[in-house]
Amino acid sequence: MYRFLSSVTSRATATAGPALGGGRRGAHRRPGLPMLSLGWAGGLGLGLGLALGAKLAIGLRGAVPIQSPADPEASGATELPHEQAPGPGSPHTPAPPAARGFSRAIESSRDLLHRIKDEVGAPGIVVGVSVDGKEVWSEGLGYADVENRVPCKPETVMRIASISKSLTMVALAKLWEAGKLDLDLPVQHYVPEFPEKEYEGEKVSVTTRLLISHLSGIRHYEKDMKKVKEEKAYKALKMMKGTPPPDQEKELKEKGGKDNEKSEKSEKSEKSEKSDSPKAKAEQDSEAKCRSAKPGKKKNDFEQGELYLKEKFENSIESLRLFKNDPLFFKPGSQFLYSTFGYTLLAAIVERASGYKYLDYMQKIFHDLDMLTTVQEENEPVIYNRARFYVYNKKKRLVNTPYVDNSYKWAGGGFLSTVGDLLKFGNAMLYGYQVGLFKNSNENLLPGYLKPETMVMMWTPVPNTEMSWDKEGKYAMAWGVVEKKQTHGACRKQRHYASHTGGAVGASSVLLVLPEELDPEAVNNKVPPRGIIVSIICNMQSVGLNSTALKIALEFDKDRAD
């Protein structure tokens, strides 16, 4: 320390001497000031040196090693002091002012995401949360690119998979509002290239409305109709064997009490009449087999060859050849069968109804919604912050996913985006859904991107549908919807929310909208959108994220209420 102070002192003296003496700089000194002596300058230098040395010693004694930004999990969780500005290019950004009221929710949600990430072995995961239209938290955990050690960050671009269906729905809704699309006309009115269909010898009609809610009967990736039907029948039988809902149970008991005696008598007479018929015996045998037999093993989506197509399709009409001549698996409107190919046909309808190419029309919508990082996935373009996608092989080793071309299913699962863009999209939908409630109290509100009645239609559950990622809900129009429900006092309260999940090669995603429970009489001094939006994207396939997103949304809703 003595040597250090001596060197600092001598350097200060050397620097001060010429400057304060009669050198060139001295010529510019203020007139009337006396000439300073070299001895005075040396004393000044010594004082400065001692002060600097003392300050440096204190700083070295209290220093804490800084975590390397090469570790994304450490860097993602680092919080900067409010007065400290991040360095250029640093992945750390100070929390926005709104986030400081949600520190508990952020901490618990971050912990939850770390747990999920560790459970499934995902390389990277990115989350974004907005409250009442303002983004309050976005963070990346793990790696966007494992090989090059590129950490995930809020700007990371990943496959959003089937959330693309919700984006396509906006295009259909805009055309419907403009009177350019009739949801209930047969699809051949817009796309004559799609052949008319029959089911069991009867002519049937496939409409845009049925396609949107997966009720058209058009197949998904599984081509074996028998396996699909067996699985459907098995699921239906399992549901029948399960406990019916309380209101149904009550109705059945009341009905059973009155009709029990009648049914017993009629059953006996029917059995005596039918038992002699060989046809009846055959029917009874087949029914018994159906009850006991389990369906043949159906491949999951990631075992289907069509998911890994490498062929480039120039437009939606060309993509139709993959499935347009296949038979319908069910009569349109009768059963729910989730189908990404149905959305390929919807893209063709968008093209014909709008007069634009599907991708051009979607880019216009993304521009209107300020979703500037959302694009169709193509291999050739340089897309900044694009992640790599991963899967575990048979030896449980992490490997890169194979190359795929998603041009055949852009409408149903082919877009790339960020959590920030998905939050913007969710808020635009929530604003349109709620703005009608606020119009009377605030006439200066701008209209929503979609009209309130359109959003209500989109978020109303459709009969005969399923919501695979939450059994409490139903599918609506390109969104899954869970309705508000509470069966018993002081017990579980089911919140109303809308969401869509996504699963693609090497990617999983979710976008969830939890609207505030608004009292129409208490909307004064409030402005839409009111509620929580959560978006999560991950570069690993087969990761269920909906329940995680709902837990995060409820955590933020709790902090908001407090």
Side-chain angles (χ1 to χ4, degrees), residues 269-290:
S269 60
E270 279 176 20
K271 278 181 184 176
S272 60
E273 286 172 13
K274 287 185 178 179
S275 58
D276 298 331
S277 164
K279 189 180 177 183
K281 282 182 181 178
E283 283 176 3
Q284 284 171 11
D285 290 343
S286 65
E287 193 180 335
K289 280 181 184 176
C290 283

Side-chain angles (χ1 to χ4, degrees), residues 185-197:
L185 279 178
V187 295
Q188 290 80 12
H189 178 80
Y190 301 101
V191 188
E193 292 88 345
F194 190 77
E196 291 187 357
K197 294 291 179 182

